[in-house]
Amino acid sequence: MGEVEEEEASMVGLDQLPSALLATIMVKLDVSSICSVGSTCKTFRHCASHVLSFIPTIHLLEIAPSIELLRPLLPPNPLMRSLKMDCDRLNDSAIRLLVRPSLHELHLHNCADFSGKLLSEIGSQCGDLKSLYLGSVAENRGRALHVSDLEELLSGCTQLEALFLMFDVSIFIRHNFARAWALASTKLTSLEIGYISSVMITELLHPNLEPPHIQPSVLPRIQKLSLSVDYITDAMVGTISRGLLSLTHLDLRDAPIIEPRLTFDLTNSGLQQINQHGKLRHLSLVRSQEFLVTYFKRVNDLGILLMADSCANMESIYLGGFCRVTDTGFRTILHSCSSLCKLRVAHGTLLTNLVFHDIRATSLSLTHVSLRWCNLLTNLGVKNLVSNVDLRVLDLRDCKSLGDEALRAIGTLPKLKILQLDGSDITDMGLSYLRWRVITSLTSLSLRGCKRLTDKGISLLFEGSSKYELQELDLSNIPSISDDGIFSLARARLPILELRLRQCPLIGDTSIMALASMQAREEGWQGSRLRLLDLHNCGGITQLSFRWLKRPYFPRLRWLGLTGSVNRDMVDALARSRPFLHVACHGEELGADPSNRLDDSYMREYEDLDEFEQWLLGGEDSGDNDDDNDDVDDEDVPMEVAEFDAEMEE
Amino acid sequence: MRYLALPLLSQNLTESTARAQTLSLYLQLSLQVSLSQRNESTMSSSSSSLPSCPKKVVTLKSSEGETFEIEEIAALQSKTLENMIDENCADTPIPLPNIKGKILAKVVEYCNKHAEVGVDAESLRAWDAEFVNVENTTVFDYILAANFLEIPTLLDLTCQSVADMIKGKTPAEIEKTFNIKSAFTPEEEEQVRRENQWAFE
């Protein structure tokens, strides 16, 4: 007995390690874990505040801190190199805290309440800055943003290599804007702009002097360009391709509000001009259907053939909205680009199995494949596609003709991490092909809208005591999923962090209880590890669930989706008692980056409409739809209207 | 024999200073020994070629007196041992009074494994993961040993594994995992909870 006690007394506990070693451990943690450790005992509290004064990286994107919360987290720290923050609750008074001369990387999201002073302060203080991301600057009413602020930013940050201006820069007057860019750092290699009109960018890059082989004075060394414009036009694509000599990544996305005219659209000749300097590796041309159902109607196979001619070294291609391109075009891409790793096609209306018919003959080894809204793709095409055994990401959402045979083929992929099969015609039998092998390597699985699945399929999928790596699971819009299915998830002790169960009428209070008491597989965790739970429109949720959504249950939950109409008072009380939990009541998509998940997926809101209703509503702006089944957040509509106004004024 | 000047022991002696002092003591001792040895060897013929000796081995002595042998190549991963080898102090067993026998055995195993050639990164990673898959107290002992012997790879591996055990946990879970007694007064506790409420709910 005495020996055991002696042994215990001599064993070192974590709080008995020397403070230098404790600091070595804590420096490897993220900010919220540091604060969590700092709340346990005096030694750690001291160590945590010490670590915050020399930690090089502070990334806090999961919550939007207020300035009172932020102050203790950002003490004077001469070694701070990288700062990422959600600034939703901050304004100009926080500039002093956020802008530090030692920074090399600064990413500030949701800066709607800041004015242009943020840009000028960054320009004057952060001379060593290499990477800058600014989201939604000065978007709130009454916040001023002048081109002089942009000029100060560009001239001050002389070492800037990557710049992300994720707001509408078309508010700047055109000739002043072009002049500002002449001041930009010559090291700038990566540029992304949230919204710019195609006329502005064409004028910006248009060389001032003849002959055209003289390097433009603006943005000479840009390698990565990512723009969101109003219309992708031939002129713009031509100017970009001619003017930027070192371009390796080109990412263009447009969202027309009216049907584009010939002079304001992409045609075959525009595609022919791509990659004039032969360095392009990644190309992305996407026509979004955010405001209007429209496509690249003036591009057909000829354009793709002309483009593929000069694009033999491409590694990644994303074509969205090319409805007139047939199998010939897509096949040419596969056969000409021998280094292709990532292929994404959205709205490939004429894409069929023939594209992948002889993919084995190529030496391609695709790792990311995304084929959305390709309704002519069937199981045979997928069977040929999975000859690429290195596939890590497979996104076959909204390909309505896919069934169980496709899953049988997918079940052979050894390295698959992300699988998305929304809206396909699979059944429980198909899911069983994923057992034992693919399901143990998957980190993200989406089966939204696969209406033929039942609880049995889900339970069989997660049967057995394998170790799973699944972190995201989407079982929304599956009518037969009930509490039994959720029990099987809890029993399997899946380490899921995000679970979406939108519009599942049979999910009820017992599911919440099961999820709340789900034990993690490893030691030391108490309670659920879920960070995101979406229960929008789940039929069985009653007041009883709210008891299980309060503390101490779901300690790590950051996002919760409920139907606000169920019990408004309780929802408000919950939101008040858990101030750092985002509670969504209007059916918005959840997540830190909902646009990533949306990705033209506003179309998901049409799931409950049958084909006739879809035809009736087709072509209308989704924001105008007042249909009860429509889950689009009404609050989004005024923003779109504001953008319309900006367009009209131009 | 020259007089060894002992440095003053101050009250705030940190571990690194202690180690430096131990090292300097060793150096001075060994300098004595090697000087006398050299005096002897210059007498003998200098043309004798070195026999094809077996791989040089360093002997380490744990706190309980147990000895462990480690090849010189493997020992070079420890900066402390490397310095000793460079200064030719490594011919006698090196006492490590603050490392227990079973910990020292594992550290030797780690150094041997990482000195092997032709091991692919994937299997080495798996081996490392298995190595730190032990009780918390053992991992802390590894950390202290790696710190004392200055083995950066082992220190990084063990500190990372402890950090991974902390990541994402609420304070209650951390207290339970590491058996920490909270020493806050109720007022302090309240203040701490309020300040850090956002990190864990």
Side-chain angles (χ1 to χ4, degrees), chain A residues 118-129 132 146-160 163 165 176-188 219:
Chain A
L118 178 65
L119 275 71
S120 47
E121 281 298 310
I122 293 176
S124 62
Q125 288 192 39
C126 301
D128 291 331
L129 204 58
L132 177 62
H146 299 296
V147 74
S148 55
D149 301 317
L150 183 63
E151 280 175 2
E152 280 187 49
L153 173 68
L154 293 175
S155 56
C157 298
T158 54
Q159 307 295 316
L160 207 54
L163 181 58
L165 296 174
N176 289 341
F177 183 70
R179 208 182 53 206
W181 286 98
L183 302 165
S185 142
T186 49
K187 296 189 183 167
L188 199 63
L219 304 175

Side-chain angles (χ1 to χ4, degrees), chain A residues 177-472:
Chain A
F177 183 70
R179 208 182 53 206
W181 286 98
L183 302 165
S185 142
T186 49
K187 296 189 183 167
L188 199 63
T189 54
S190 173
L191 176 63
E192 179 165 354
I193 297 188
Y195 181 81
I196 185 171
S197 73
S198 63
V199 176
M200 271 176 98
I201 189 78
T202 315
E203 279 190 9
L204 181 64
L205 293 174
H206 200 78
N208 300 326
L209 311 155
E210 302 289 358
H213 64 261
I214 293 181
Q215 237 185 7
S217 54
V218 177
L219 304 175
R221 292 204 185 79
I222 288 281
Q223 291 172 12
K224 298 190 189 185
L225 185 62
S226 175
L227 302 173
S228 209
V229 295
D230 46 356
Y231 303 96
I232 296 178
T233 65
D234 280 350
M236 183 176 82
V237 171
T239 317
I240 289 175
S241 304
R242 266 195 310 276
L244 299 178
L245 306 174
S246 326
L247 202 62
T248 60
H249 289 60
L250 180 59
D251 185 344
L252 297 174
R253 168 181 286 263
D254 75 356
I257 51 170
I258 56 172
E259 197 61 48
R261 301 190 305 273
L262 175 56
T263 46
F264 262 87
D265 198 6
L266 185 68
T267 70
N268 287 338
S269 51
L271 272 189
Q272 191 181 7
Q273 297 180 62
I274 285 180
N275 201 12
Q276 281 181 21
H277 302 287
K279 298 203 179 127
L280 207 60
R281 298 275 171 276
H282 300 254
L283 175 68
S284 171
L285 295 168
V286 179
R287 176 150 285 173
S288 152
Q289 303 195 336
E290 202 177 333
F291 303 114
L292 179 70
V293 176
T294 178
Y295 305 92
F296 286 114
K297 293 195 180 130
R298 297 186 175 88
V299 174
N300 56 23
D301 285 338
L302 179 62
I304 301 290
L305 285 166
L306 291 169
M307 184 186 81
D309 242 359
S310 57
C311 292
N313 294 327
M314 294 283 248
E315 289 167 17
S316 156
I317 292 189
Y318 182 7
L319 299 173
F322 288 81
C323 66
R324 299 262 158 94
V325 177
T326 72
D327 294 332
T328 317
F330 293 119
R331 248 184 100 245
T332 314
I333 294 175
L334 289 179
H335 286 261
S336 333
C337 307
S338 50
S339 341
L340 199 66
C341 300
K342 301 188 189 180
L343 176 68
R344 297 175 69 181
V345 177
H347 293 288
T349 330
L350 297 177
L351 187 146
T352 75
N353 299 333
L354 280 177
V355 177
F356 305 108
H357 167 66
D358 52 0
I359 196 167
R360 273 171 245 259
T362 70
S363 54
L364 282 184
S365 151
L366 296 169
T367 57
H368 291 58
V369 171
S370 169
L371 303 165
R372 288 195 75 180
W373 292 295
C374 300
N375 286 321
L376 297 178
L377 188 71
T378 70
N379 298 332
L380 184 57
V382 177
K383 266 199 203 138
N384 287 325
L385 185 56
V386 302
S387 63
N388 291 289
V389 290
D390 287 333
L391 270 175
R392 286 207 304 271
V393 173
L394 188 55
D395 173 3
L396 300 168
R397 285 180 283 182
D398 305 298
C399 292
K400 295 195 176 20
S401 319
L402 294 182
D404 293 340
E405 285 304 307
L407 274 175
R408 195 211 288 256
I410 292 171
T412 61
L413 292 170
K415 296 188 192 171
L416 200 60
K417 290 276 171 229
I418 299 178
L419 178 60
Q420 291 166 310
L421 294 164
D422 299 9
S424 44
D425 196 29
I426 56 179
T427 68
D428 295 340
M429 167 73 111
L431 273 192
S432 67
Y433 293 125
L434 297 179
R435 281 172 79 181
W436 308 123
R437 203 172 170 189
V438 170
I439 195 68
T440 51
S441 67
L442 279 182
T443 59
S444 171
L445 176 62
S446 178
L447 300 167
R448 186 184 279 216
C450 297
K451 294 193 186 316
R452 292 171 69 184
L453 296 178
T454 69
D455 286 333
K456 196 144 173 293
I458 304 292
S459 354
L460 280 179
L461 185 60
F462 296 112
E463 215 175 55
S465 56
S466 325
K467 199 147 187 295
Y468 299 104
E469 292 173 16
L470 199 64
Q471 290 176 359
E472 293 172 20

Side-chain angles (χ1 to χ4, degrees), chain A residues 28 36-37 526 556 558, chain B residues 156 166 168-169 173 198 201:
Chain A
K28 297 180 191 295
S36 198
V37 164
Q526 297 168 350
R556 282 158 272 264
R558 293 274 179 226
Chain B
D156 194 59
I166 297 175
K169 289 200 165 83
E173 290 168 345
W198 64 270
E201 289 209 84

